[in-house]
Amino acid sequence: MHTDDVLFVRLLFTSVMASVDFRDNLLGISWVDSGWVPILNPGNVLDYFSERSNPFYDRTCNNEVVKMQRLTLEHLNQMVGVEYILLHAQEPILYIIRKQQRQSPTQDIPLADYYIIAGVVYQAPDLGTVISSRALSAVHGIQSAFDEAMSYCRYHPSKGYWWHFKDQEEREKNKPKTKKKEEASSLFQRHRVDTLLLDLRSKFPPTFYQPKPGEKPIPVEVKKEPEPPAEAVKQEEREPATKSSAPAPPSKPPPEKRARLQ
């Protein structure tokens, strides 16, 4: 695991968190008035949405002006400003209301959408919020994976890096421990040692031996061959010298040829 990768993930996590504005964010809240839930229908759902306790409703919108003047909702097309309209209705469970900026009778700009499910009002997230939420969830999962992976990483100067998992410890504990018989020496070592001992024994024979443990050691008598006297050695040395110095007998010449008598 490289340090640069961890820093990159943390910076990405910080940037995504900074891009999400939690102040004045209505995506995490909901509103419901249980008294209205049994009687909700497409005709009164905008009145239900315009309750004063509803945090999603803007009091400065054109719907308030129409309500105060006791006009119909058709007059909203002739006004300019923020307004709320019923976009979709699926009785009795789902209603969708849109908040938009009216610029002309034929031109408006959507600002936000709200959906009512079983009387509970939620704000629908926009595309930027959805992407930020998905990116935040992905980065959080990646960061958690990096942290967990780093907790299993081990390092030692002599061994280097390796992974040490908790399951591995449990497996090692549950494994039956079998002790391997360690041989004192190999066949090659024993053969070499025996050869060296025999060589040393021939060069340096023991001076004592002990027939039984606990008994007194007995000295070993080493039989030495009698050395020949010095005069005999000198005489043997002289004999080959005299034999080699005696002159060889002269060789006989070939017989002379005699002339034949006629």
Side-chain angles (χ1 to χ4, degrees):
M1 189 69 62
H2 297 287
T3 308
D4 297 339
D5 298 337
V6 177
L7 292 176
F8 172 75
V9 172
R10 289 180 178 175
L11 288 174
L12 183 61
F13 181 79
T14 306
S15 61
V16 172
M17 290 291 292
S19 63
V20 180
D21 188 9
F22 293 99
R23 297 174 300 175
D24 301 332
N25 187 6
L26 301 178
L27 297 175
I29 63 174
S30 61
W31 175 81
V32 62
D33 188 351
S34 58
W36 281 80
V37 175
I39 59 174
L40 273 180
N41 57 65
N44 62 5
V45 67
L46 286 176
D47 295 333
Y48 171 67
F49 190 81
S50 62
E51 285 288 326
R52 292 186 176 276
S53 58
N54 184 9
F56 304 106
Y57 187 69
D58 186 2
R59 305 288 171 215
T60 61
C61 64
N62 294 337
N63 296 66
E64 284 292 312
V65 177
V66 171
K67 186 186 296 186
M68 290 174 61
Q69 295 179 3
R70 296 184 180 182
L71 301 174
T72 60
L73 296 177
E74 297 177 356
H75 289 81
L76 291 174
N77 295 334
Q78 307 300 325
M79 304 176 67
V80 177
V82 179
E83 64 182 18
Y84 294 91
I85 62 170
L86 178 61
L87 187 64
H88 177 75
Q90 184 177 347
E91 294 184 78
I93 189 70
L94 176 64
Y95 302 94
I96 299 177
I97 297 175
R98 171 167 289 181
K99 178 183 180 181
Q100 59 188 13
Q101 179 72 33
R102 173 70 62 178
Q103 295 182 347
S104 67
T106 58
Q107 186 178 5
D108 54 66
I109 300 173
L111 299 178
D113 290 335
Y114 305 92
Y115 55 95
I116 304 172
I117 299 178
V120 183
V121 183
Y122 305 92
Q123 181 176 348
D126 57 322
L127 182 60
T129 306
V130 171
I131 294 175
S132 299
S133 177
R134 295 293 185 271
L136 181 62
S137 300
V139 171
H140 177 70
I142 294 172
Q143 178 68 31
S144 301
F146 271 116
D147 294 339
E148 186 172 0
M150 289 294 292
S151 65
Y152 297 132
C153 183
R154 299 289 185 274
Y155 174 76
H156 193 271
S158 61
K159 297 173 62 176
Y161 289 96
W162 76 93
W163 298 104
H164 186 74
F165 298 101
K166 296 179 180 178
D167 298 340
Q168 185 177 0
E169 294 182 356
E170 295 178 358
R171 290 173 187 172
E172 292 178 355
K173 290 181 180 178
N174 296 331
K175 279 184 179 179
K177 295 182 179 179
T178 56
K179 293 184 178 179
K180 296 182 179 180
K181 295 182 179 180
E182 297 182 357
E183 296 183 358
S185 60
S186 63
L187 180 61
F188 173 76
Q189 291 173 342
R190 291 195 296 270
H191 179 70
R192 293 290 298 171
V193 170
D194 293 342
T195 305
L196 292 174
L197 290 175
L198 290 174
D199 190 15
L200 291 174
R201 183 176 180 181
S202 61
K203 290 182 179 180
F204 306 100
T207 56
F208 294 89
Y209 77 95
Q210 190 173 7
K212 292 183 181 180
E215 294 184 357
K216 187 177 180 180
I218 302 171
V220 178
E221 296 181 359
V222 181
K223 296 181 179 180
K224 294 183 180 181
E225 297 180 357
E227 297 180 358
E231 295 179 357
V233 174
K234 291 180 179 180
Q235 187 176 358
E236 290 178 358
E237 291 178 356
R238 290 173 185 174
E239 286 179 358
T242 53
K243 289 179 182 180
S244 60
S245 60
S251 58
K252 297 181 178 180
E256 295 180 358
K257 292 182 180 182
R258 297 178 181 181
R260 292 182 181 181
L261 298 175
Q262 295 181 352

